[in-house]
Amino acid sequence: MNTTDTSTQDPLLRVEDLVVQYPTDAGTVHAVSGVTFDVHRGETLGIVGESGSGKSTLLRALLRLTPHTGGSVRYRDTVLTDLGEEPMRRLRPSLQMIMQDPIASLNPRRKVRDIVAEGLRIWPDRVTTSVEEQVAAGLDAVGMDIGIVGDRRPGSFSGGQCQRIAIARALALRPDVLFCDEPVSALDVSVQARVLNLVHDAKEALGLTVLFVSHDLGVVKSVSDRVMVMYLGRICEIAPVEEIYESPAHPYTNLLLSSAPGSHRPAPPDLTGETPSPLDPPSGCRFRTRCPLAQERCAAQAPPLRALPGGRGVACHFPLVTEDRDEAEAGATS
């Protein structure tokens, strides 16, 4: 885990009030709704939540792979959401992504050596020795010998091997930020640890900043410096990993941790209602229809993401952290 103090650093990536909506025949899907957060150089931010929480959509919107409806994304001094197609294309070598489905993410007709070399041939300024040497070194870093695998095609590999090839391809360009969209969810448990170790080793060797999306709380805990919890397109809580797992502040975070396999946390009270549809999200706090702590205020007012002790932010009128409960309850009666 990265232990660098980021409190005084300017963020490498700043997201402000980002909105992603999809028009459909049934109505507008509110996929991401007013999300704001920073990512600092060298840290790994884990992003968790149930299916439909907006995790993957958020990641794709940051990279301009999915169009945004509102808000902004700033990388260094560049506002990505204002860029035209060509300036954005020139930035993409610095912003690489590992997709969720390792097999589908690789061109089945191309040889492995050509898949890994593709970015280097498009961007020759990223070549420091030779394309062939960098491809061989990249494959070696993920435990693959170019002499054995270089002339084979993705169809002859397992899912775990394809994900290692995808990692080698992403790292060949020596990116600044690595976006990981559920990179181990399609893999056997026996393969997951190796892939996670590869991402960790690459981060340490290249000084990468990593955004890591997953629904697996154990995986996120093992790789993250901070964790951001999402529900129905909004941030519930963001905090250092130790704070999140030892003392969750949001009722939804507590629910996720209590429901995780092998959890020793007491089970939360029974939830009420069904998971709302992103076509018609609840007013106010979107978790309120399932929250055992919900009150009238939760329906009338969307809770802002506010600071709490321990370097965390939480979007809840009645957070579980003791230091802030008295203030929150007093606000409910004012």
Side-chain angles (χ1 to χ4, degrees):
M1 179 183 299
N2 175 35
T3 57
T4 301
D5 180 11
T6 61
S7 59
T8 59
Q9 296 179 8
D10 290 332
L12 181 67
L13 195 69
R14 168 159 286 176
V15 182
E16 295 184 347
D17 201 26
L18 189 68
V19 177
V20 180
Q21 297 178 350
Y22 299 112
T24 69
D25 292 340
T28 299
V29 174
H30 300 267
V32 177
S33 301
V35 167
T36 297
F37 64 96
D38 293 340
V39 184
H40 294 272
R41 175 175 295 282
E43 79 166 327
T44 297
L45 177 67
I47 306 174
V48 299
E50 296 171 286
S51 296
S53 62
K55 309 182 302 295
S56 293
T57 300
L58 170 63
L59 216 63
R60 294 179 67 85
L62 299 182
L63 282 166
R64 295 271 303 275
L65 300 176
T66 292
H68 70 290
T69 308
S72 66
V73 179
R74 180 182 294 272
Y75 165 65
R76 295 179 179 271
D77 296 324
T78 302
V79 180
L80 301 184
T81 41
D82 290 345
L83 287 183
E85 289 300 323
E86 182 56 29
M88 185 66 206
R89 178 178 175 272
R90 290 197 296 268
L91 271 179
R92 290 198 187 279
S94 298
L95 308 170
Q96 289 292 296
M97 188 170 189
I98 301 173
M99 302 291 187
Q100 181 174 355
D101 188 337
I103 297 175
S105 71
L106 304 178
N107 188 330
R109 297 187 177 187
R110 305 195 70 179
K111 296 178 180 180
V112 167
R113 66 171 73 246
D114 295 325
I115 290 172
V116 177
E118 182 177 12
L120 294 171
R121 293 197 171 110
I122 294 172
W123 302 105
D125 60 314
R126 297 274 170 160
V127 179
T128 55
T129 54
S130 72
V131 171
E132 292 74 18
E133 289 179 3
Q134 286 183 230
V135 170
L139 287 169
D140 182 68
V142 298
M144 306 184 93
D145 186 335
I146 191 171
I148 298 174
V149 306
D151 292 321
R152 293 166 61 187
R153 291 175 171 82
S156 64
F157 295 99
S158 68
Q161 290 171 318
C162 284
Q163 195 62 291
R164 286 153 62 189
I165 295 167
I167 292 171
R169 176 181 61 182
L171 298 180
L173 292 170
R174 302 185 68 85
D176 211 11
V177 186
L178 188 63
F179 297 80
C180 302
D181 185 13
E182 305 253 17
V184 297
S185 65
L187 306 180
D188 293 338
V189 174
S190 60
V191 182
Q192 289 184 7
R194 182 163 192 177
V195 171
L196 292 174
N197 286 336
L198 288 174
V199 173
H200 176 269
D201 291 347
K203 174 188 171 181
E204 295 298 313
L206 302 177
L208 289 172
T209 300
V210 180
L211 279 76
F212 194 101
V213 163
S214 180
H215 64 272
D216 189 320
L217 293 167
V219 166
V220 169
K221 183 178 182 180
S222 70
V223 301
S224 302
D225 300 305
R226 289 190 300 149
V227 177
M228 186 168 79
V229 182
M230 295 186 66
Y231 180 80
L232 272 183
R234 286 185 178 164
I235 298 174
C236 294
E237 183 171 0
I238 183 168
V241 63
E242 297 88 353
E243 297 288 337
I244 285 276
Y245 283 81
E246 293 176 7
S247 179
H250 197 284
Y252 177 63
T253 308
N254 187 50
L255 166 69
L256 289 179
L257 293 174
S258 301
S259 303
S263 172
H264 299 294
R265 300 186 65 82
D270 290 338
L271 299 180
T272 59
E274 300 292 331
T275 304
S277 168
L279 288 167
D280 186 24
S283 63
C285 174
R286 292 188 176 177
F287 186 59
R288 67 173 176 81
T289 58
R290 302 173 66 198
C291 182
L293 302 179
Q295 299 185 28
E296 290 183 7
R297 181 185 182 190
C298 302
Q301 178 185 358
L305 189 67
R306 53 180 173 156
L308 288 185
R312 71 170 70 192
V314 62
C316 181
H317 293 305
F318 308 102
L320 300 176
V321 173
T322 304
E323 292 91 333
D324 205 57
R325 282 300 299 272
D326 293 341
E327 176 185 338
E329 291 173 353
T333 60
S334 61

